[in-house]
Amino acid sequence: MSRTTLILCATTEGHTARIAERIAQRLRGKGRRVEIHRADAVPAGLEPAGYDGVIVGSSIHYGRHPGFLRALVRRFRTALTAQPSAFFSVSLSAGGPGAKPEAARRYLETFLRQVDWHPPQTATFAGALQYSKYGVFKRLLMRMIVGIAGGDTDPTRDYEYTDWNAVDRFADEFAQRLKQA
Ligand SMILES: Cc1cc2nc3c(=O)[nH]c(=O)nc-3n(C[C@H](O)[C@H](O)[C@H](O)COP(=O)(O)O)c2cc1C
């Protein structure tokens, strides 16, 4: 079997892709090969069954994971279920000022229920507020929503809340699962 792990990530402003890259680096440090693809631009013919394990990660926008990811996970569900797999969800609910961890967990669980996938390893990671990447409307909207929640509203800078040690622990746990498989 291939010793390459596949990471699929759904990202809008790029932060989930950074988390995916961090996981990849950690796995590579343990001698694993890793391929990362954006879930909205999966190469034609990509087959998760050809990998030794699959990690899917996605950010939350407007209270949900993207519809294209639901379609992709449903398409790949048989392969995902047959091999080591994991899912992580990235949001502001998961961490940072005004966080609501139970909401972050709910987003994750709702998604997995919708796609009928039950990976043995899941995590919610705090994301980032990237005002520099938002257009005028999104910046206004985010300042308003984040302000109500008691979060950071200075639009002249970006904020990152991710606990990178937690991301490393997630990667280490997955590496352990690959070893045991
Ligand atoms: C327009 C918009 C809507 C968002 N909606 C939510 C939300 O409903 N709940 C939440 O916890 N976080 C929400 N977030 C925060 C994102 O999940 C967070 O910024 C994450 O880091 C984005 O990751 P990405 O860059 O990979 O897309 C929202 C962010 C934006 C920009």
Side-chain angles (χ1 to χ4, degrees), residues 51-122:
Y51 296 82
D52 68 352
V54 184
I55 299 174
V56 179
S58 166
S59 58
I60 288 285
H61 283 79
Y62 305 109
R64 52 197 294 154
H65 291 293
F68 66 78
L69 189 70
R70 277 197 295 282
L72 191 73
V73 169
R74 284 183 181 127
R75 195 173 113 210
F76 288 161
R77 187 172 45 217
T78 306
L80 290 175
T81 304
Q83 65 193 152
S85 68
F87 178 67
F88 66 90
S89 171
V90 178
S91 67
L92 291 179
S93 298
K100 293 198 173 80
E102 65 292 345
R105 207 61 224 172
R106 215 164 36 241
Y107 295 143
L108 179 147
E109 281 160 10
T110 301
F111 175 77
L112 294 178
R113 201 171 47 248
Q114 285 170 338
V115 297
D116 193 20
W117 175 38
H118 310 283
Q121 189 185 342
T122 62

